[in-house]
Amino acid sequence: MAKPYDSLTLNRIQKLEQFEAAGLKGFPNTFRPDVTSTELKEKYSHLEHSQLEALTAEHRVAGRIMTLRAMGKATFLHLKDRYGTIQVYLKQDVVGEQDYELFRKFIEVGDLVGITGKMMKTRTGELTVAAAKLELVTKTIRTLPEKFHGLQDIEARFRQRYVDLFMNDWVKELFIMRSRIVQFIRHFLDDRNFLEVETPMMQPIPGGANARPFITHHNALDIDLYLRIAPELYLKRLLVGGLERVYEINRNFRNEGLSHKHNPEFTMLEFYWSYANYQDLMDLTEDMLSSMFEKIIGTTTIECNGQSISMAKPWRRLTLRDSLVEVAGLTQEAADSPEQLTAYLRSKGVEVKPDWGLGKLQVEVYDQSVEGQLMEPTFITCHPVETSPLSRRNDQNPAVVDRFELIIGGREIANAFSELNDPRDQRARFEDQARARAAGDEEGMHIDDDYVRALEFGMPPAAGEGIGIDRLVMLAAGVDNIKEVILFPLLRPVADE
């Protein structure tokens, strides 16, 4: 239940009611700005006050009042729009005594207003709109956070993102950067003849990843459906259909825990490329991400956890098994010994299950002691087949698959592999996953008979990749909490403040 309004809010509501009782509108939709704060600065900042005085052009700008300083018959305020802030000078003998008194009585910090006026500069040289007219655009009921510190409480920021965005400029810039990153990726893939597509978000069988799904119910069909954990199997159906290069920037849902690295709803780029393999994807990924950082950030050197990281090509390539030796410090013998890997994991407090084979043990050691140590961009290749149910086996070593994970700053940014297109092998691996699921593995995959049928019609050799957009933005922004880069992250409900 919402808490009662405090005295400041009740006072603002009373002012709104008095304003409307005077025959005025608290929420009109008539003002139309013709310029932004940035455009005004770009056009007029270089001019002197005397040059501005000689101009007759009036402009209409709208925004939120962030500061207000009244001095008798004159008032200075700062107006904030999407692009920045501009100062406004309001003078009684210009706007008229009646309008000025209405402003003094009813308009407050936080209100949205429209200003019409000419440009001037103050004695301190600040570019200013000399208001000829002020119009209320939206009367706000809630007071803004304390002006010198803004909205700082991290939980309040995430819960009230609408306030966070206009109080903290860096947050707004972060989400503008996120949009530009997605736009860059689209253009990059479009230029290479990939086709953007859309696949179902509600699926009869959850597939494409090892994850616990969300379950919903369709009343008309009386069937359970799953929010997708990945679009992979549908995108590969399109390869069968002859759409040889496809991608989707999609929302995925996984019914798992919350952490600074995980949100149950997240954004992924997935793309699939016929007549290519995982090595082709490594080359493309290097090109795409290194050029993205240079274009969007302006440099290929970024800061992560207080460390400078170079995104310039080429990037390191290392097999998963060799990473256990080079990074975790295991001996060559220990890296291939189930007994020694088990002892190592138990020494780290990991509960080792009796059905874990060599490949699963190697992956667990990698997760524990390698991934978090990899700061520079690194492709970890040759993953065990038992942990990669959709990947193509390596021709020289069938115990591993043609797959890589891209690690930057100690986090997985991408996962990719040469696709398994043998329907016999795929069905056998689905059956292995189903047995694991029946034994209690909630993340085990279901058998997708229709997907196997699609493979039986023939899918060309191909490679596919998924890149976590949220984690990519975290890297670019230099933040270590995924909630910072999601506009409305999932949070535990609390009583309204």
Side-chain angles (χ1 to χ4, degrees):
M1 182 176 178
K3 294 181 179 180
Y5 287 138
D6 60 22
S7 59
L8 291 174
T9 302
L10 290 171
N11 180 259
R12 293 177 80 103
I13 293 172
Q14 184 180 43
K15 285 188 177 183
L16 171 59
E17 292 171 346
Q18 292 172 351
F19 189 75
E20 292 177 330
L24 302 168
K25 294 182 178 180
F27 304 93
N29 189 3
T30 54
F31 188 86
R32 299 292 180 265
D34 59 18
V35 71
T36 68
S37 61
T38 297
E39 289 170 339
L40 289 174
K41 290 176 179 178
E42 289 174 349
K43 188 172 183 178
Y44 294 115
S45 289
H46 66 285
L47 298 180
E48 299 295 332
H49 176 68
S50 58
Q51 294 173 298
L52 292 171
E53 274 191 317
L55 301 177
T56 59
E58 283 193 334
H59 296 284
R60 295 163 62 83
V61 61
R64 188 183 300 275
I65 298 175
M66 301 304 294
T67 67
L68 193 155
R69 181 164 52 95
M71 302 174 295
K73 297 181 180 181
T75 299
F76 282 98
L77 58 93
H78 279 94
L79 201 67
K80 187 173 191 177
D81 62 11
R82 171 186 170 184
Y83 299 95
T85 303
I86 191 79
Q87 182 168 263
V88 175
Y89 179 52
L90 197 71
K91 198 173 180 182
Q92 178 178 297
D93 61 8
V94 175
V95 300
E97 183 175 349
Q98 182 178 1
D99 285 352
Y100 190 76
E101 284 306 309
L102 281 172
F103 162 76
R104 289 286 303 272
K105 188 174 182 180
F106 295 114
I107 307 300
E108 301 168 277
V109 169
D111 290 345
L112 295 164
V113 297
I115 302 292
T116 303
K118 300 177 182 179
M119 302 309 297
M120 59 169 280
K121 279 190 176 176
T122 62
R123 289 185 184 135
T124 60
E126 183 171 355
L127 186 68
T128 302
V129 182
K133 186 178 181 181
L134 179 144
E135 301 175 50
L136 179 66
V137 172
T138 299
K139 180 65 182 171
T140 58
I141 291 173
R142 299 272 186 174
T143 56
L144 301 192
E146 199 276 318
K147 65 181 180 180
F148 294 110
H149 301 292
L151 190 65
Q152 299 294 328
D153 179 80
I154 192 166
E155 280 290 312
R157 287 182 46 239
F158 298 152
R159 293 183 189 281
Q160 299 176 32
R161 184 69 87 185
Y162 39 87
V163 180
D164 190 24
L165 285 164
F166 66 72
M167 290 301 299
N168 294 314
D169 287 341
W170 70 269
V171 175
K172 178 188 69 175
E173 293 302 322
L174 186 156
F175 285 103
I176 291 172
M177 179 181 69
R178 179 186 173 115
S179 179
R180 289 174 177 162
I181 285 173
V182 172
Q183 185 181 57
F184 177 91
I185 289 170
R186 275 198 169 96
H187 290 165
F188 185 93
L189 293 173
D190 290 345
D191 288 345
R192 286 155 182 80
N193 297 317
F194 284 82
L195 178 70
E196 184 172 13
V197 297
E198 295 178 337
T199 61
M201 295 180 72
M202 293 191 299
Q203 303 178 353
I205 297 174
N210 294 95
R212 185 178 179 183
F214 287 94
I215 304 174
T216 187
H217 187 79
H218 191 285
N219 292 330
L221 295 178
D222 193 26
I223 58 171
D224 284 340
L225 294 169
Y226 302 88
L227 295 183
R228 70 174 170 207
I229 55 177
E232 176 172 343
L233 300 187
Y234 283 92
L235 289 170
K236 289 195 287 194
R237 284 172 169 93
L238 299 180
L239 300 187
V240 173
L243 301 180
E244 295 177 349
R245 299 185 184 195
V246 294
Y247 75 93
E248 183 173 9
I249 297 174
N250 58 74
R251 305 306 292 273
N252 292 340
F253 306 85
R254 298 183 183 178
N255 198 354
E256 299 166 347
L258 295 165
S259 75
H260 69 285
K261 294 193 295 184
H262 297 94
N263 193 68
E265 177 182 4
F266 60 97
T267 304
M268 288 283 290
L269 161 71
E270 289 210 19
F271 58 101
Y272 292 83
W273 184 3
S274 297
Y275 308 106
N277 62 27
Y278 78 114
Q279 293 174 325
D280 297 313
L281 286 182
M282 282 191 278
D283 294 338
L284 183 143
T285 302
E286 277 186 343
D287 287 340
M288 180 167 66
L289 296 189
S290 62
S291 59
M292 184 206 79
F293 276 88
E294 187 168 12
K295 172 77 172 179
I296 304 299
I297 310 301
T299 178
T300 54
T301 301
I302 61 173
E303 294 292 324
C304 183
N305 298 323
Q307 182 174 335
S308 291
I309 297 175
S310 172
M311 300 296 295
K313 300 183 294 182
W315 294 350
R316 185 184 187 190
R317 303 182 183 193
L318 184 66
T319 69
L320 186 142
R321 183 212 173 270
D322 288 346
S323 77
L324 305 185
V325 176
E326 292 190 25
V327 182
L330 273 64
T331 65
Q332 296 283 350
E333 178 188 1
D336 294 320
S337 167
E339 294 76 18
Q340 293 189 54
L341 292 172
T342 297
Y344 180 91
L345 287 168
R346 286 175 175 162
S347 73
K348 300 290 185 181
V350 177
E351 180 184 353
V352 178
K353 296 182 180 180
D355 61 340
W356 287 2
L358 173 62
K360 175 64 173 175
L361 291 166
Q362 289 174 330
V363 168
E364 288 294 322
V365 172
Y366 167 82
D367 289 342
Q368 284 289 319
S369 301
V370 176
E371 181 176 291
Q373 305 302 315
L374 301 173
M375 293 294 109
E376 296 289 331
T378 304
F379 292 111
I380 296 295
T381 65
C382 299
H383 291 244
V385 67
E386 65 193 272
T387 61
S388 309
L390 298 170
S391 307
R392 186 181 187 279
R393 292 178 191 266
N394 182 268
D395 289 335
Q396 284 72 45
N397 180 6
V400 299
V401 295
D402 291 339
R403 174 186 172 191
F404 71 78
E405 287 183 353
L406 171 61
I407 311 300
I408 309 175
R411 296 192 186 101
E412 178 191 333
I413 301 298
N415 182 32
F417 39 82
S418 299
E419 300 297 338
L420 173 61
N421 63 344
D422 182 339
R424 302 164 301 173
D425 192 355
Q426 183 63 80
R427 182 175 291 281
R429 293 200 222 176
F430 274 154
E431 290 171 350
D432 288 342
Q433 288 282 307
R435 282 189 286 272
R437 183 175 178 79
D441 183 357
E442 292 183 330
E443 295 185 354
M445 289 187 185
H446 297 246
I447 296 176
D448 190 333
D449 288 317
D450 181 71
Y451 177 67
V452 175
R453 182 187 302 116
L455 293 184
E456 290 170 347
F457 279 97
M459 186 179 85
E465 180 168 352
I467 296 178
I469 297 296
D470 305 309
R471 291 188 181 180
L472 188 60
V473 177
M474 288 171 65
L475 191 66
V479 298
D480 60 4
N481 189 336
I482 196 171
K483 294 181 178 65
E484 291 284 11
V485 302
I486 297 174
L487 279 168
F488 299 102
L490 183 65
L491 300 166
R492 189 182 301 277
V494 297
D496 192 18
E497 294 295 335

